Amino acid sequence: SNLVSSTANIFLSSQIKQNPTTFVEDLQVLRYGLNGEFVLHHDGEPRVLTVIYYINGVANTWFPLASTATARNSSTSSFDDNIINSKEIERGFEYIRNNHKYNLTPQNKGQALKLGEGFKPGTHGVLVKGIGASDNDVKEYNDDSLNNGDNDNNHIAYVKKGDAVAFYNYCIDGSEYKLDWRALHTGLPTTEVDGGVKWIANHWFRLDDLL
């Protein structure tokens, strides 16, 4: 489809696109009822790229280990105060190695929460939040609002109906692809204030050579 090809052209390198084992999974559409949630997880191998489409503008997707550009450039706070540091990332890897012999994805909520223990949405990582009629965080919607122009909290990114978020599930370490644990994310419970029922769709781009 035009959507798939456009997304691939923007986010995937020529090398990956030309690899015969690269393909996109069928579009998955999900409905979350009021207070519906999805526990902290990694989309797993061999999905190199995830795209989440916010069909009705209800979001509440949280990436607890994700970093922000402002955090990297902050002159008032230290690097480690703002974004996940290498020791914390290694702590996550060590936990995975010790607890999941056959699957790199956490098996239950307790195991998953261990990776971001003590972190809070809106304070750590990046929280993707929908702009609803009762949302007072952004007084008036405009394009600058989504780019934090009207938002002084760099740990929150606002989306509206029809917007999408794309993120990579792997990082390159030298010449080797490794799972990027900054891609851990969770669908937080939605309330009436957040917009209630949530409709999203997912595209996962795969590179089966990574298996």
Side-chain angles (χ1 to χ4, degrees):
S1 69
N2 290 335
L3 178 60
V4 169
S5 59
S6 296
T7 301
N9 287 335
I10 293 171
F11 293 104
L12 298 180
S13 68
S14 298
Q15 180 182 3
I16 290 180
K17 287 189 295 181
Q18 293 169 6
N19 189 301
T21 71
T22 298
F23 70 99
V24 60
E25 297 179 29
D26 290 339
L27 184 70
Q28 180 185 69
V29 179
L30 299 170
R31 178 190 182 276
Y32 292 84
L34 193 63
N35 295 318
E37 64 178 316
F38 199 106
V39 299
L40 189 65
H41 65 284
H42 192 286
D43 282 346
E45 50 191 353
R47 293 167 171 167
V48 292
L49 175 70
T50 296
V51 184
I52 303 175
Y53 307 96
Y54 296 98
I55 298 173
N56 65 344
V58 180
N60 266 20
T61 307
W62 182 40
F63 299 80
L65 305 185
S67 58
T68 63
T70 299
R72 292 191 188 96
N73 298 326
S74 173
S75 59
T76 58
S77 302
S78 71
F79 185 90
D80 288 346
D81 285 340
N82 284 281
I83 63 176
I84 192 73
N85 60 42
S86 59
K87 290 183 180 179
E88 289 170 310
I89 291 174
E90 181 56 33
R91 175 171 61 90
F93 274 113
E94 188 64 30
Y95 183 82
I96 291 292
R97 283 195 293 266
N98 292 339
N99 290 276
H100 312 296
K101 292 182 180 179
Y102 306 109
N103 193 333
L104 292 177
T105 302
Q107 298 300 298
N108 57 57
K109 192 171 185 177
Q111 293 175 350
L113 290 176
K114 197 75 175 177
L115 294 175
E117 192 171 22
F119 288 7
K120 297 180 180 179
T123 302
H124 301 95
V126 174
L127 172 63
V128 180
K129 191 171 183 180
I131 297 177
S134 58
D135 194 334
N136 295 318
D137 291 316
V138 176
K139 297 178 181 178
E140 181 179 355
Y141 166 74
N142 54 52
D143 288 340
D144 289 336
S145 301
L146 299 185
N147 296 317
N148 289 329
D150 294 336
N151 172 25
D152 59 5
N153 185 343
N154 291 293
H155 294 281
I156 298 178
Y158 290 94
V159 295
K160 69 180 189 307
K161 180 179 178 179
D163 283 340
V165 168
F167 55 92
Y168 297 105
N169 296 304
Y170 282 80
C171 56
I172 299 177
D173 183 4
S175 60
E176 182 181 2
Y177 285 92
K178 289 186 176 181
L179 289 175
D180 190 341
W181 295 105
R182 292 171 297 180
L184 280 169
H185 58 287
T186 179
L188 298 174
T190 56
T191 65
E192 292 286 0
V193 174
D194 300 312
V197 173
K198 174 169 65 176
W199 284 92
I200 64 170
N202 294 316
H203 263 141
W204 288 293
F205 291 80
R206 300 167 61 100
L207 178 61
D208 279 1
D209 266 357
L210 294 173
L211 289 174

